[in-house]
């Protein structure tokens, strides 16, 4: 006989833990299934940063309260406890293949002085550990090391079965099982979505790093003229040690070239790897809506890429509150959670064009090494501060705009390349560029 719950949550990341805890605190009987031995065990590449309040993201202005030890979401009136460490950084810099010229987003010195706004990396494992303990205290029943194999409609809701023999039924199910969502596949949600690509990446935590203005996120391009061509990377401070950095590349060859043979090798004079994580991600276009057969999709599970930690927490919280409201009103169906569906559409698919996110990685393939060095050298003004991935490409274009006449005069072929590349054409180019990878936040 199947165990009965008001809500079954599949997935114990930020979205799933926030959804389960919120629902249980509001009186629901909640089960959470997680395939790992513990939700706080971080296995996949993740930069572990929050997109904070330098601009609106998902119509929020989240920030960290140092006094109360909370990540605060003021627009949606909730907060998430966090007692772990964090490390501030002050800008986003695009670095050219010569390892010298850069396009700067954010005023590093202003933000570092405290007069501006800093961003932060945090310990995601400690965040999840705290949420797990709060969920248990609220009454969430956790089922760890569970692999969901079946999801079906039954009278009164949804039935979930696992490879380990569990059978449970819930009025609603929240799918928080990540970018490679098993529930999106089982329920048929992916049938209406466009498959974009599969991307692989590797990230190393490294020490022995030396370069100036180091407390920033660096999106750079090194260049192997003999074999690899452009080698993009992402580098930012680590939360674990003051002398440690998180370095994201697409593979071992790229890592070896970047740190040992490229112009950036001077950044890594005493390189040591402290630990490594890998990532394999299937990217789909966003779902039409985050709901199918009483399964409510949150976070990465129905989005096209990582929803960011802030987006995951937001959607988990909003979905749980919608489920509570639907059950309270006696509307255990799509209409009952329509406020969540509407919120998701308005703040995700209708606000963010996922093709804008894909533009910057493809920007890495457009130009020659010399052209990259040239473009990075002519943008000397500091651009408005953001780490919103949907705004990075537009920030670059805004930075280049005052110099287009100069580019046209000095490099007419380069000007034509810039004019030809538009977000609406990005899907025609993305599959050949799959190997370039995207940083995981």
């Amino acid at each position: 006989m199947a165990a009965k719950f008001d809500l079954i949550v599949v997935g114990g990341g930020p979205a799933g833990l926030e959804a389960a805890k919120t629902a249980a605190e509001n009186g629901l009987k909640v089960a959470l299934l997680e395939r790992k031995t513990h939700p706080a065990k971080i296995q996949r590449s993740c930069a572990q940063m929050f997109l904070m309040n330098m601009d609106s993201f998902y119509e929020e202005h989240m920030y960290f309260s140092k006094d109360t030890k909370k990540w605060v979401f003021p627009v949606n009136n909730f907060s998430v406890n966090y007692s772990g460490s964090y490390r501030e950084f002050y800008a986003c810099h695009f670095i050219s293949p010569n390892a010298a010229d850069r396009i700067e987003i954010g005023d590093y010195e202003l933000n570092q002085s405290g007069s501006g706004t800093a961003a932060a990396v945090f310990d995601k494992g400690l965040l999840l550990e705290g949420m797990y303990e709060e969920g248990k205290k609220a009454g969430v029943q956790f089922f760890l090391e569970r692999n969901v194999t079946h999801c079906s409609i039954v009278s009164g809701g949804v039935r979930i079965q696992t490879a380990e023999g569990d059978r449970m039924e819930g009025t609603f199910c929240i799918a928080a099982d990540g970018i490679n969502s098993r529930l999106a596949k089982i329920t048929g949600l992916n049938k209406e979505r466009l498959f974009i690509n599969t991307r692989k990446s590797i990230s190393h935590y490294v020490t022995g790093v030396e370069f100036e203005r180091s407390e920033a996120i660096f999106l750079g391009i090194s260049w192997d003229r003999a074999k690899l061509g452009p080698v993009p990377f992402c580098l930012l401070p680590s939360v674990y040690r003051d002398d440690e950095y998180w370095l994201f590349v697409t593979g071992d060859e790229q890592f070896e070239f970047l740190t040992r043979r490229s112009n950036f090798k001077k950044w890594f004079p005493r390189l040591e790897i402290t630990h490594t994580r890998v990532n394999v991600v299937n990217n789909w276009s966003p779902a039409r809506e985050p709901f199918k057969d009483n399964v409510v999709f949150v976070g990465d599970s129905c989005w096209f890429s990582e929803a960011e930690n802030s987006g995951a927490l937001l959607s988990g919280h909003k979905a749980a509150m919608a489920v509570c409201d639907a059950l309270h009103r006696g509307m255990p169906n799509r209409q009952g959670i329509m406020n969540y569906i509407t919120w998701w559409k308005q703040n995700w698919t209708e606000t963010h064009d996922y093709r804008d996110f894909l533009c910057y990685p493809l920007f890495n393939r457009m130009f020659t090494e010399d052209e990259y060095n040239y473009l990075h050298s002519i943008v000397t003004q500091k651009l408005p501060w953001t780490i919103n991935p949907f705004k990075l490409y537009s920030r670059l274009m805004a930075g280049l705009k005052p110099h287009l006449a100069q580019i046209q005069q000095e490099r007419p072929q380069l000007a034509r390349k810039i004019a030809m590349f538009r977000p609406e054409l990005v899907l025609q180019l993305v599959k050949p560029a799959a190997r370039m990878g995207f940083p995981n936040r």
Side-chain angles (χ1 to χ4, degrees):
M1 184 176 178
K4 304 286 187 177
F5 296 91
D6 296 313
L7 173 65
I8 300 169
V9 179
V10 177
L17 288 172
E18 175 62 23
K21 176 178 72 73
T22 298
E25 288 174 343
N26 283 276
L28 299 193
K29 184 180 180 182
V30 181
L32 186 146
L33 289 78
E34 166 58 43
R35 63 180 179 81
K36 295 185 294 187
T37 57
H38 194 285
K41 186 176 182 180
I42 307 299
Q43 297 174 318
R44 190 165 60 89
S45 295
C46 182
Q48 302 187 134
M49 63 181 174
F50 261 106
L51 301 186
M52 296 180 45
N53 60 351
M54 70 279 298
D55 59 17
S56 177
F57 191 59
Y58 299 124
E59 294 300 312
E60 252 295 356
H61 296 274
M62 66 289 296
Y63 63 91
F64 183 64
S65 170
K66 298 178 183 179
D67 294 332
T68 62
K69 304 294 184 184
K70 294 177 182 292
W71 293 104
V72 181
F73 295 77
V75 176
N76 287 280
N77 194 31
F78 77 100
S79 61
V80 179
N81 294 324
Y82 176 67
S83 59
S85 59
Y86 69 97
R87 182 174 174 182
E88 292 184 340
F89 63 95
Y90 310 112
C92 176
H93 288 178
F94 297 93
I95 310 295
S96 65
N98 63 20
D101 294 310
R102 62 182 68 191
I103 298 173
E104 302 184 20
I105 293 183
D107 189 322
Y108 186 102
E109 287 72 25
L110 178 69
N111 293 336
Q112 186 183 42
S113 72
S115 300
T117 302
V121 291
F122 71 103
D123 189 330
K124 188 174 181 178
L126 285 180
L127 175 77
L128 298 179
E129 175 70 38
M131 296 175 71
Y132 171 71
E133 294 297 331
E134 290 176 23
K136 287 199 300 183
K137 185 177 179 180
V140 177
Q141 296 183 43
F142 286 91
F143 298 82
L144 304 180
E145 298 183 88
R146 297 302 204 277
N147 292 278
V148 172
T149 56
H150 294 86
C151 176
S152 56
I153 304 171
V154 295
S155 176
V158 179
R159 175 177 293 163
I160 298 292
Q161 295 176 241
T162 71
E164 293 72 30
D166 303 284
R167 295 175 68 248
M168 53 186 69
E169 294 178 4
T171 307
F172 286 100
C173 172
I174 286 182
D177 53 341
I179 192 69
N180 299 321
S181 172
R182 177 72 175 163
L183 281 174
K185 180 178 180 181
I186 293 173
T187 61
L189 188 75
N190 285 350
K191 291 181 179 179
E192 63 186 45
R193 305 167 71 188
L194 171 67
F195 176 72
I196 300 173
N197 62 17
T198 297
R199 56 184 174 88
K200 302 175 183 179
S201 61
I202 186 168
S203 63
H204 299 288
Y205 284 87
V206 298
T207 59
V209 179
E210 290 184 7
F211 56 102
E212 62 181 17
R213 302 168 80 195
S214 59
E215 302 305 289
I217 178 172
F218 297 88
L219 295 170
I221 305 172
S222 59
W223 204 282
D224 183 2
R225 300 171 189 170
K227 181 180 179 182
L228 299 173
V231 177
F233 67 91
C234 176
L235 180 73
L236 76 159
S238 162
V239 70
Y240 300 119
R241 290 171 48 173
D242 290 343
D243 64 341
E244 187 177 68
Y245 290 80
W246 181 81
L247 176 58
F248 173 97
V249 293
T250 53
D252 292 331
E253 284 187 288
Q254 288 79 4
F255 175 81
E256 191 277 335
F257 172 77
L258 172 69
T259 59
R260 300 299 187 191
R261 297 185 286 118
S262 77
N263 290 327
F264 292 91
K265 66 182 180 182
K266 61 187 178 183
W267 288 18
F268 307 97
R270 295 177 301 279
L271 180 71
E272 291 187 14
I273 298 173
T274 57
H275 56 286
T276 297
R277 293 171 181 159
V278 297
N279 196 27
V280 179
V281 168
N282 294 312
N283 289 115
W284 299 78
S285 64
R288 181 177 54 84
E289 68 175 34
F291 180 84
K292 188 173 179 64
D293 300 333
N294 270 33
V295 178
V296 186
F297 290 84
V298 300
D300 304 346
S301 66
C302 62
W303 195 218
F304 81 99
S305 187
E306 282 81 359
E308 318 298 337
N309 294 292
S310 46
L313 289 168
L314 267 170
S315 60
H317 183 85
K318 296 287 284 189
M321 293 303 294
V323 167
C324 291
D325 182 54
L327 294 180
H328 173 70
R329 292 187 293 133
M331 300 177 65
N333 49 38
R334 177 179 178 274
Q335 188 60 34
I337 64 149
M338 200 63 209
N339 58 341
Y340 170 72
I341 294 173
T342 300
W343 171 83
W344 188 87
K345 287 182 176 181
Q346 289 176 346
N347 292 288
W348 295 58
T349 55
E350 293 175 9
T351 299
H352 302 296
D353 187 336
Y354 72 102
R355 296 172 300 181
D356 291 338
F357 186 100
L358 298 173
C359 280
Y360 177 69
L362 291 172
F363 196 78
N364 289 335
R365 296 178 62 85
M366 287 180 61
F367 310 115
T368 66
E369 178 184 8
D370 177 64
E371 288 171 337
Y372 280 117
N373 289 330
Y374 172 82
L375 289 174
H376 284 77
S377 69
I378 65 173
V379 182
T380 57
Q381 72 274 27
K382 290 182 173 66
L383 306 179
W385 180 207
T386 187
I387 48 174
N388 184 333
F390 298 98
K391 294 185 177 181
L392 288 179
Y393 177 73
S394 62
R395 285 286 196 276
L396 283 175
M397 291 297 101
L400 289 173
K401 188 175 181 180
H403 308 281
L404 290 178
Q406 176 187 351
I407 297 171
Q408 178 64 48
Q409 182 179 5
E410 297 177 349
R411 303 281 187 103
Q413 184 176 358
L414 176 57
R416 286 194 294 272
K417 286 184 180 181
I418 295 172
M420 287 172 57
F421 189 75
R422 302 187 303 277
E424 57 267 27
L425 301 178
V426 74
L427 290 180
Q428 299 176 23
L429 305 171
V430 71
K431 288 189 178 182
R435 66 182 182 88
M436 301 303 290
F438 306 83
N440 307 103
R441 293 172 173 83

